[in-house]
Amino acid sequence: MPTNVPTPVTPAMTRREIEERATEILVRHGLFTIPIDLVTLANREGIKIHNAKFSEDGLSGMVAKRAGATTILVDQSEPPFRKNFTIAHELGHLYLHLIGDGEFIDSMIDLFRVETPDDIASEHKRKEVQANQFAAALLMPRQLVMETYTDVKDIKELARIFNVSETAMAIRLSQLGLA
Amino acid sequence: MEESILPASLKDKVIEIGAAVSLQDVATYGQLQEIQDKSFRMRTVVNAWERQQTSERELRSRYAKWLLITLSVQMMFVNIAFFMIGLGYLSVEKWVATTFIMTVFGEVAAMTFIVVKYLFPEGASAVLALIERL
C-alpha cells in the first residue's frame, strides 16, 4: 500500500510500455541475460536491498525513497524465488511510481494481484498490478522467454532457468500467449 | 544498521533489518544447478560402479565356472584312480597313491580358499567413501 507521502497519479501505462521500460533498464545495465540478476542491477543503481523481519504478518517487502537514497526490504523468511519477485515488484514501484520521495509497503496479496475490471477505479490496485507487470517483465523478459520457449516447453524447467516460481512462469506464459 | 534511512512511517513495520541481500539469497537457479551437478556426479559414479560390478561379477562367474569344472574333472580322475587302485587295475606304491590323493584334496582346499578370498572380496567401502566425498 502506498503511504501518506503524495505520489503522482499513476500514469495509464500499457503493458507494452511497462515491458519496454523493464527491457530498457536491463539492456542499459548489460543484464539482459537469464537468469536476471536483480542484486547487481540494484547495486549499480545504488539501491540497498536488505533482509528484514516485519512486525506484521503477510508483509513481503517495502521500498522507501528519501532524498535520492532508496532502500528495499524483503521478508527474510521468504524462499529465494519469492524474494526475487518481491525485489522485482519493489523495483517496479521505484521505476514506475516513485518519481519523488515516497514508499510502498507490499503484502502477499499485492504480489499476487492481477488485472481485473475493478482495478481501473482503484489507484492502489492499479499501481500494484503495474508493479507486478513490471516484475514479470523484468524477471521474464518477453524476448528471452520467447527464445527459450522454442527449445524448452516445460514450465518447471523454464521456471528454473529464469529463477522464478512455477506459478509466476505459468502466468507469464499465459500472458505471452504461449500456454 | 540501515534504520536511519528508513522513514519514520516505516519504522514501526520493521522489527529488525538483517544483512544485505546477496546473489546467493535469491539464486534458486544456482542452488538448483549445484544440487543437479552433485546429483549428476553421484549418478555417474554409481552408474560406473554398477557397470564395473556387473562386469567383474561376470568375470568372476566365468572364473568360478571353469575352476569348478577343472576341480570336478580332477576329483573324478582321483576317484577313478582310487577305485582302479582299490580294484587292482592300477598298481602304484602306497606312498604315491597317498601323496597323489592328499595333493589333490589339498589343491581343492586351496582353490576353495582362493575363490572365497579373491573372487568375493569385501563390500564396496571405497565406492561408499567416494560417494560420501561427493
Side-chain angles (χ1 to χ4, degrees):
Chain A
M1 72 194 79
T3 56
N4 54 5
V5 176
T7 52
V9 173
T10 314
M13 292 181 80
T14 64
R15 189 189 294 274
R16 179 170 288 276
E17 286 171 332
I18 292 172
E19 296 259 0
E20 284 170 358
R21 186 79 193 277
T23 302
E24 180 267 319
I25 291 164
L26 290 174
V27 170
R28 178 153 47 90
H29 287 282
L31 295 171
F32 196 64
T33 54
I34 45 177
I36 303 298
D37 181 359
L38 295 185
V39 175
T40 300
L41 172 65
N43 287 340
R44 288 182 187 173
E45 290 273 343
I47 301 162
K48 291 175 179 169
I49 308 176
H50 282 265
N51 289 293
K53 191 174 177 183
F54 297 127
S55 58
E56 292 176 21
D57 288 340
L59 286 186
S60 285
M62 56 180 68
V63 56
K65 186 178 176 186
R66 284 287 185 279
T70 306
T71 304
I72 291 174
L73 300 180
V74 290
D75 184 359
Q76 62 187 16
S77 64
E78 286 192 337
F81 62 78
R82 182 72 60 73
K83 274 185 191 172
N84 215 24
F85 195 87
T86 303
I87 292 168
H89 179 97
E90 303 306 338
L91 287 172
H93 283 311
L94 179 67
Y95 287 116
L96 302 179
H97 310 133
L98 285 175
I99 311 299
D101 287 354
E103 58 264 357
F104 280 84
I105 304 168
D106 291 299
S107 65
M108 192 79 76
I109 297 167
D110 295 324
L111 296 176
F112 281 95
R113 196 177 293 285
V114 290
E115 201 165 13
T116 65
D118 296 342
D119 295 336
I120 295 166
S122 166
E123 180 71 6
H124 164 63
K125 286 181 183 176
R126 185 189 294 177
K127 283 181 178 174
E128 295 308 329
V129 169
Q130 286 185 346
N132 280 338
Q133 287 173 348
F134 183 88
L138 198 65
L139 290 172
M140 299 164 278
R142 170 189 288 270
Q143 185 188 331
L144 296 180
V145 172
M146 294 285 207
E147 285 172 3
T148 310
Y149 189 77
T150 56
D151 298 324
V152 183
K153 299 281 192 291
D154 181 43
I155 288 180
K156 193 174 178 182
E157 182 63 11
L158 282 167
R160 188 184 70 79
I161 291 170
F162 282 85
N163 191 23
V164 295
S165 69
E166 289 174 40
T167 309
M169 180 51 73
I171 292 171
R172 185 63 170 154
L173 290 179
S174 173
Q175 284 172 348
L176 297 176
L178 297 173
Chain B
M1 178 174 26
E2 299 293 328
E3 277 147 359
S4 57
I5 62 167
L6 269 185
S9 57
L10 294 185
K11 284 186 177 172
D12 63 326
K13 306 275 185 193
V14 181
I15 295 173
E16 180 187 332
I17 296 179
V21 173
S22 66
L23 199 53
Q24 285 70 33
D25 286 334
V26 292
T28 312
Y29 175 75
Q31 289 169 9
L32 271 171
Q33 194 69 48
E34 193 179 324
I35 291 166
Q36 286 193 333
D37 288 349
K38 195 173 178 182
S39 166
F40 178 74
R41 286 199 299 272
M42 184 89 79
R43 277 184 281 123
T44 304
V45 168
V46 170
N47 286 340
W49 177 68
E50 191 183 358
R51 281 200 298 277
Q52 188 188 2
Q53 288 294 303
T54 305
S55 169
E56 282 186 12
R57 201 180 304 118
E58 286 169 2
L59 188 65
R60 286 192 201 116
S61 178
R62 278 204 299 277
Y63 273 120
K65 183 180 161 189
W66 283 108
L67 277 172
L68 280 172
I69 290 170
T70 308
L71 287 176
S72 299
V73 169
Q74 202 163 10
M75 290 288 285
M76 198 167 64
F77 180 72
V78 170
N79 283 327
I80 290 168
F82 177 78
F83 281 106
M84 286 178 76
I85 291 168
L87 295 171
Y89 292 112
L90 199 62
S91 178
V92 291
E93 291 288 329
K94 185 184 173 185
W95 67 271
V96 173
T98 308
T99 306
F100 176 63
I101 291 168
M102 291 300 287
T103 304
V104 170
F105 277 100
E107 197 179 336
V108 170
M111 283 296 186
T112 306
F113 175 76
I114 288 169
V115 166
V116 171
K117 186 171 173 63
Y118 296 106
L119 289 187
F120 302 99
E122 287 182 11
S125 55
V127 175
L128 292 176
L130 178 61
I131 288 172
E132 271 183 23
R133 281 204 302 276
L134 290 175

